[in-house]
Amino acid sequence: SILIFLAFSQSGKMVKILKVHSGGLLESRKGKIITFLGITPPSKIMDGDMADTAAAFLKSLLQGRMIQPTHDEGGEKRDAAGNLLAYIEFLCDTCEGAKLEGIKNRIEFSAPLINVQNLLLKMGFARVNTGQSFKKKSYYMFLEKKAKKAGLGIWKTSRPK
């Protein structure tokens, strides 16, 4: 039988993440370095131990997992170091709606795609990179503001009203 992976969003090339490096750099199985478009992960200098907490969370979330990197149309494609800039999504096999079913002579697995930037911003594990141009900037600013107001993650000690 054949196993087919489907996603609930646009289809794109899936990439396996071999290693999650510090600073939010993702290394694919083929050695390409991918980094997050639109966000900056916490740093040890600015955020202390929260940088380690966020890095551990990111590693547990993405290392060894298949992701779908998507470029922003009209946005930047590479960072200053030449790494690929992308929105990062992963198949959430434990989310509501994930299913495995047999259809004729094949097995199909479908699951929703989760945007990692959205997740990190909501948890307070990232800042919006205001120096980049990208379409989701206003939405990312909204998510960051909500995390700040709730005092989550890196915003734990600074709670703007």
Side-chain angles (χ1 to χ4, degrees):
S1 65
I2 300 169
L3 182 61
I4 298 175
F5 290 94
L6 302 173
F8 291 163
S9 121
Q10 65 186 24
S11 62
K13 186 177 180 184
M14 299 299 285
V15 176
K16 184 165 187 164
I17 295 304
L18 180 67
K19 187 168 183 182
V20 177
H21 296 278
S22 63
L25 299 176
L26 310 175
E27 184 179 344
S28 76
R29 191 175 67 206
K30 294 185 178 181
K32 289 186 180 180
I33 301 295
I34 305 163
T35 192
F36 293 100
L37 174 63
I39 65 168
T40 303
S43 72
K44 194 77 168 158
I45 294 169
M46 289 179 65
D47 306 302
D49 291 339
M50 191 53 66
D52 294 333
T53 303
F57 172 75
L58 194 56
K59 184 176 182 177
S60 71
L61 184 68
L62 297 179
Q63 194 156 298
R65 190 181 284 268
M66 297 295 290
I67 65 159
Q68 179 176 301
T70 307
H71 296 290
D72 188 281
E73 290 182 28
E76 299 172 46
K77 302 273 188 266
R78 295 192 178 271
D79 66 9
N83 302 315
L84 298 172
L85 282 168
Y87 297 116
I88 306 297
E89 296 177 311
F90 69 92
L91 287 170
C92 184
D93 54 353
T94 59
C95 290
E96 185 176 332
K99 61 185 175 182
L100 185 65
E101 59 187 332
I103 299 175
K104 294 187 181 178
N105 62 345
R106 66 179 193 253
I107 298 171
E108 289 188 358
F109 173 75
S110 61
L113 284 171
I114 303 297
N115 180 289
V116 178
Q117 281 96 324
N118 291 358
L119 184 62
L120 294 174
L121 287 166
K122 286 177 184 178
M123 295 176 70
F125 283 170
R127 288 180 176 78
V128 175
N129 187 335
T130 56
Q132 290 178 342
S133 298
F134 57 100
K135 288 185 180 181
K136 297 182 180 183
K137 188 181 278 188
S138 61
Y139 180 61
Y140 283 8
M141 296 293 287
F142 168 76
L143 294 176
E144 181 182 275
K145 185 177 181 180
K146 282 182 69 173
K148 279 181 183 178
K149 191 171 185 173
L152 300 174
I154 58 177
W155 312 113
K156 205 170 224 164
T157 58
S158 61
R159 279 191 156 169
K161 304 252 184 216

